[in-house]
Amino acid sequence: MANVVFDNVWKIYPDGTEAVKELDLEIEDGEFVILVGPSGCGKSTALRMVAGLEDISRGELRIGEKVVNDLTPKERDIAMVFQSYALYPHMSVRDNMGFALKLAKIDKDEINRRVEEAAEILDLTEFLDRKPKALSGGQRQRVAMGRAIVRNPQAFLMDEPLSNLDAKLRVQMRSEIAQLQQNLGVTTIYVTHDQVEAMTMGDRVAVLKKGVLQQAEAPQRLYDKPDNLFVAGFIGSPSMNLMEADLESNPGGNPILRVGEQTLEVPEEAMAEYPRVRDKVGGKVAAGIRPEHSFIPDASTPEGGTLRGDVRLVEALGSEVLVHVATQASPVVTEDMREAVDDEEAFARMEESGATGGMDMTFRFDPSFTPKVGDTLEVGVQRHRMHFFDLDDGQALR
Amino acid sequence: MIGRRWYTPWLFLLPSLVLLGVFYWWPVLNTGILSMTDAHTLRGGEFVGLENFRRMVDDAFFWNALENSLLFTVGVVPALVVLPLLLAVLVNTKLPGIAFFRTVFFSPVIASMVVVALIWSWMLRTDGLVNYVLQRLQIINEPLGWLSDPSLALISVIVVTVWKGLGYYMVIYLAGLQNIPDDLYEAASVDGAGPIRRFWTVTVPMMRPSMVLVGTLSAINAIKVFTEVFVLTGGGPFRSSETLVLYIYERGFEGLEMGYASAMSLSLFVLVLLFSLASQWITRRRAAL
Ligand SMILES: Nc1ncnc2c1ncn2[C@@H]1O[C@H](COP(=O)(O)OP(=O)(O)OP(=O)(O)O)[C@@H](O)[C@H]1O
Ligand SMILES: [Mg+2]
């Protein structure tokens, strides 16, 4: 086992595509790091550079303090789980799992022992003599995992290993993989674009945008303290409500956000968290509210603490209800958001609603709350948990 | 459905059924009938029952031709299964200018067999290019009679046939290679397999269906071989390279013994049928595994 260090690593494909740019990331020995980001941001490329399947254009990659830039995959001693599983179709499960060991000239009994042990862990014992074709998707996925764990390698690399499974199996495998990794303690890099996988599986999440690392932090911290607009918009599902708003001065108080006819006063806690907000008074900022940071206002809710709008859509999910409210706020339609939304159509709708004024915000409530479509709703905002970003460079106004 | 009559599908099938009937099934049927007569080209035949088949058993030239055909097949098929695969793997790389080599290797396929065979027959003459080069390289001391030495003639024909077929089967393999997912190779690399190991653990098993196909096609073509032998050696010297079709041709069109030639054709047909059945059986057994 070993640490994996990206030291100013670049990947420039022969056609000039800069898939990964000056990546600096240290993955500690035994750590489970998730790489997330929109499609095409360079996650797979970064992973494949560790595996030795792509050349490194610039910079240095170290596994266990050893520079591996020029080593073949074989010499790097890493194991990889592919999205397609890439099982050898003509080999039995046993041979698939033992293949790497056989190539490493480990003796037969030892191979058998390790394969059977792994099969035991993964519940594959009864399938050891089957061909991959005769297995279900979930079983194939486990064989792919087994092929990696019998190796006892320096690191595991996994590229969207669960994306071909149905939702239920995905939930199950998610926790199994996380647990397995914890028990084995093998350094793991895991690529996904699934929000839940990113938030729940790893010790740390590294967010990439267009080949550039945005932030690498423990999941909860990433969620609570996004460094920039892109991370704020990308992490979380449903995503953070991000609006573009004028920041007005308020003699004798904290600045005030203008949202159409309504205002939101920036509370003291938020000012402490985002001190640079003060520099933006008189200009515009991007302000963010997570869907769950809302409440049903009552008599004690102060003026300047709510947003009003018509209910557009109510999604009752059983454990919670998501209410989409048409507010007078303007959406943030910068390049960061285009990337974070990662859906051209949805982004076009945002741009459109921005032009006509007004955006839909999503709020999360207890399922006992059941507003009707068309109702005018006053939503309380937990303003102390709001986020503020510079509209020009997207950075948090910390 | 509106206005659908029972004969509508048959109308669509009619043109090809007519063509197949006139140019395929009728001749086949006729061959069957002729094989039981002593028909000559210039006179109709009497029914002779299985006499022609009995004659085959006693005909040393028939057995010689059959043996040559089988030798030819045994020589050609393994080479045409293996060599084009290696070639396909080589030209399937992403090296710059590789398209040029693909074209070069394919070009013999579009050339006419007669032309190819003629050119080779010049090159293989005692005073031809092949002997000249081999002598220059001091691989041989005396010029060899590639086409005139009874012990070499069949081998020479085999070499030319393989050379001509390489490109064709290479293209079949190339199509198969495109269907092998890259990540199988990548998984093998990560598992610690070098290029040769990857060839054996990924390429060969994944190409098995293509190899069975190439084996079948080349075997059927080999057992039916005519042009190559006809132009290069004419079956000689001393019938040392005379294959079955050549002998059938000789009996039927030179000896004018249509009845006997038909009987031999029928036995050739059975042989080809056996090859196809065998290959189908192999494919099915593979699929069942
Ligand atoms: N062989 C290649 N040649 C040129 N460009 C490439 C090549 N492979 C990938 N790219 C480009 O590099 C960028 C990153 O690709 P990569 O596959 O790493 O994305 P990803 O983050 O894994 O996306 P996804 O979530 O869709 O799998 C993309 O813009 C892609 O088009
Ligand atoms: Mg990818």
Side-chain angles (χ1 to χ4, degrees):
Chain A
M1 275 165 274
N3 63 348
V4 176
V5 181
F6 291 89
D7 190 349
N8 194 14
V9 167
W10 286 71
K11 174 66 194 185
I12 303 162
Y13 281 108
D15 68 353
T17 310
E18 295 182 336
V20 172
K21 298 179 216 176
E22 50 179 281
L23 178 58
D24 277 310
L25 181 63
E26 173 164 4
I27 295 147
E28 281 163 37
D29 190 5
E31 197 181 15
F32 192 155
V33 166
I34 311 266
L35 291 184
V36 279
S39 193
C41 71
K43 306 179 292 289
S44 298
T45 303
L47 196 73
R48 292 164 56 81
M49 284 194 286
V50 182
L53 297 172
E54 296 289 353
D55 293 331
I56 294 162
S57 310
R58 243 183 278 161
E60 217 173 70
L61 184 78
R62 293 189 292 272
I63 300 178
E65 307 304 329
K66 194 162 86 186
V67 178
V68 298
N69 285 39
D70 297 324
L71 298 189
T72 60
K74 179 180 175 170
E75 295 160 329
R76 295 186 190 198
D77 188 22
I78 34 83
M80 185 154 173
V81 178
F82 292 81
Q83 182 173 5
S84 64
Y85 315 141
L87 303 177
Y88 310 116
H90 60 290
M91 289 188 199
S92 66
V93 168
R94 182 188 295 279
D95 292 343
N96 261 287
M97 284 166 65
F99 184 60
L101 301 181
K102 190 172 131 197
L103 293 190
K105 304 218 160 55
I106 290 172
D107 74 55
K108 262 208 167 81
D109 294 337
E110 172 68 6
I111 295 179
N112 268 331
R113 196 186 61 73
R114 275 155 77 168
V115 167
E116 272 156 29
E117 188 181 295
E120 189 69 35
I121 297 174
L122 293 163
D123 251 339
L124 286 170
T125 310
E126 57 182 307
F127 308 115
L128 274 178
D129 294 311
R130 286 210 201 159
K131 294 274 168 64
K133 204 165 60 176
L135 298 176
S136 73
Q139 289 158 351
R140 282 180 212 177
Q141 208 286 327
R142 291 211 293 272
V143 176
M145 288 295 302
R147 192 162 66 173
I149 66 179
V150 295
R151 301 254 318 261
N152 197 12
Q154 303 272 20
F156 288 149
L157 308 176
M158 306 190 192
D159 194 349
E160 311 203 25
L162 303 183
S163 59
N164 285 340
L165 300 180
D166 64 58
K168 200 163 171 188
L169 217 47
R170 204 149 54 205
V171 173
Q172 186 193 335
M173 284 310 294
R174 203 165 68 206
S175 57
E176 274 181 34
I177 291 179
Q179 203 150 44
L180 200 62
Q181 196 274 341
Q182 216 156 47
N183 294 343
L184 299 172
V186 177
T187 314
T188 303
I189 309 178
Y190 186 107
V191 166
T192 182
H193 55 229
D194 182 294
Q195 291 279 339
V196 188
E197 285 174 27
M199 290 302 290
T200 56
M201 293 179 75
D203 300 316
R204 211 144 51 103
V205 179
V207 187
L208 289 171
K209 181 191 96 182
K210 289 187 169 172
V212 180
L213 179 65
Q214 303 292 306
Q215 194 174 358
E217 215 114 41
Q220 195 59 46
R221 206 181 144 75
L222 196 70
Y223 189 80
D224 292 339
K225 294 182 189 299
D227 275 351
N228 61 40
L229 206 47
F230 170 77
V231 175
F234 186 75
I235 296 290
S237 174
S239 47
M240 187 187 284
N241 299 298
L242 281 158
M243 59 186 165
E244 182 183 317
D246 290 313
L247 196 63
E248 297 175 354
S249 71
N250 174 19
N254 283 329
I256 286 175
L257 274 180
R258 174 146 296 281
V259 184
E261 289 159 12
Q262 290 185 292
T263 55
L264 283 174
E265 194 188 331
V266 183
E268 203 50 53
E269 294 99 317
M271 290 303 293
E273 181 74 27
Y274 293 96
R276 288 205 292 135
V277 166
R278 204 167 290 286
D279 308 337
K280 295 287 176 183
V281 173
K284 281 178 181 299
V285 293
I289 310 162
R290 292 235 180 250
E292 62 274 25
H293 295 154
S294 55
F295 58 93
I296 302 158
D298 55 25
S300 69
T301 309
E303 185 77 7
T306 61
L307 286 175
R308 191 171 45 244
D310 293 342
V311 175
R312 276 282 177 81
L313 176 70
V314 179
E315 294 177 275
L317 300 178
S319 61
E320 64 192 23
V321 59
L322 298 178
V323 182
H324 299 249
V325 180
T327 65
Q328 292 180 337
S330 324
V332 179
V333 284
T334 61
E335 200 49 43
D336 272 338
M337 289 308 289
R338 181 192 292 274
E339 282 297 314
V341 171
D342 195 23
D343 175 351
E344 282 302 321
E345 257 177 64
F347 187 73
R349 278 200 301 279
M350 277 173 61
E351 275 184 317
E352 197 180 322
S353 72
T356 57
M359 75 184 261
D360 279 9
M361 288 197 187
T362 309
F363 296 106
R364 188 181 254 151
F365 293 104
D366 186 88
S368 62
F369 181 63
T370 50
K372 285 192 193 50
V373 173
D375 287 356
T376 300
L377 193 66
E378 193 85 30
V379 180
V381 174
Q382 299 182 17
R383 289 166 296 145
H384 62 284
R385 307 183 84 161
M386 285 179 71
H387 302 273
F388 296 90
F389 305 93
D390 188 311
L391 264 176
D392 297 323
D393 63 10
Q395 294 304 309
L397 292 170
R398 290 208 189 97
Chain B
M1 255 179 255
I2 307 158
R4 178 161 166 187
R5 314 262 148 97
W6 66 270
Y7 52 78
T8 312
W10 292 100
L11 280 179
F12 283 105
L13 287 173
L14 194 63
S16 49
L17 282 181
V18 167
L19 286 175
L20 268 178
V22 171
F23 293 104
Y24 184 75
W25 289 109
W26 174 242
V28 167
L29 193 71
N30 228 344
T31 308
I33 296 167
L34 278 174
S35 71
M36 285 187 268
T37 68
D38 61 357
H40 272 61
T41 310
L42 299 177
R43 61 170 167 80
E46 300 285 311
F47 179 78
V48 294
L50 296 177
E51 170 60 26
N52 283 327
F53 295 94
R54 207 198 50 71
R55 180 177 158 196
M56 259 157 61
V57 178
D58 293 336
D59 184 351
F61 291 156
F62 168 76
W63 287 110
N64 170 65
L66 182 62
E67 185 187 329
N68 281 338
S69 277
L70 292 177
L71 279 177
F72 179 83
T73 306
V74 169
V76 162
V77 174
L80 280 182
V81 170
V82 175
L83 297 179
L85 179 58
L86 299 180
L87 212 54
V89 169
L90 287 181
V91 301
N92 196 36
T93 51
K94 292 191 183 76
L95 296 177
I98 203 73
F100 171 73
F101 285 96
R102 246 178 263 181
T103 315
V104 167
F105 290 132
F106 187 69
S107 50
V109 177
I110 26 180
S112 141
M113 187 64 232
V114 175
V115 174
V116 167
L118 266 178
I119 293 174
W120 273 97
S121 71
W122 294 328
M123 293 204 304
L124 289 170
R125 267 164 33 176
T126 321
D127 57 352
L129 186 66
V130 173
N131 274 323
Y132 175 76
V133 171
L134 290 179
Q135 275 176 303
R136 263 302 163 99
L137 294 175
Q138 303 202 323
I139 295 171
I140 54 176
N141 296 323
E142 298 284 302
L144 293 177
W146 296 107
L147 300 173
S148 54
D149 180 340
S151 61
L152 286 179
L154 191 62
I155 295 175
S156 301
V157 179
I158 289 175
V159 169
V160 174
T161 308
V162 169
W163 178 85
K164 168 94 162 101
L166 278 180
Y168 180 73
Y169 297 112
M170 175 190 85
V171 171
I172 295 185
Y173 280 134
L174 272 175
L177 285 177
Q178 318 277 317
N179 284 330
I180 303 181
D182 279 343
D183 48 19
L184 273 184
Y185 287 107
E186 293 175 353
S189 304
V190 171
D191 272 345
I196 292 171
R197 195 76 202 208
R198 288 201 294 272
F199 176 77
W200 284 110
T201 34
V202 181
T203 312
V204 170
M206 296 297 284
M207 292 301 279
R208 207 155 261 156
S210 301
M211 290 166 79
V212 172
L213 176 69
V214 168
T216 312
L217 290 179
S218 60
I220 292 174
N221 283 335
I223 205 79
K224 298 193 310 189
V225 65
F226 178 76
T227 319
E228 294 86 328
V229 191
F230 188 74
V231 180
L232 281 169
T233 67
F238 312 118
R239 298 186 188 267
S240 65
S241 62
E242 186 173 70
T243 57
L244 204 47
V245 181
L246 223 70
Y247 185 52
I248 293 172
Y249 171 84
E250 186 206 299
R251 287 292 91 218
F253 294 94
E254 289 170 11
L256 305 182
E257 295 175 87
M258 277 303 169
Y260 187 42
S262 295
M264 287 194 289
S265 302
L266 218 57
S267 56
L268 176 68
F269 173 75
V270 171
L271 213 56
V272 173
L273 196 68
L274 284 179
F275 274 132
S276 337
L277 289 179
S279 92
Q280 271 192 15
W281 181 73
I282 294 174
T283 319
R284 219 169 289 142
R285 213 177 52 122
R286 281 265 148 226
L289 281 183

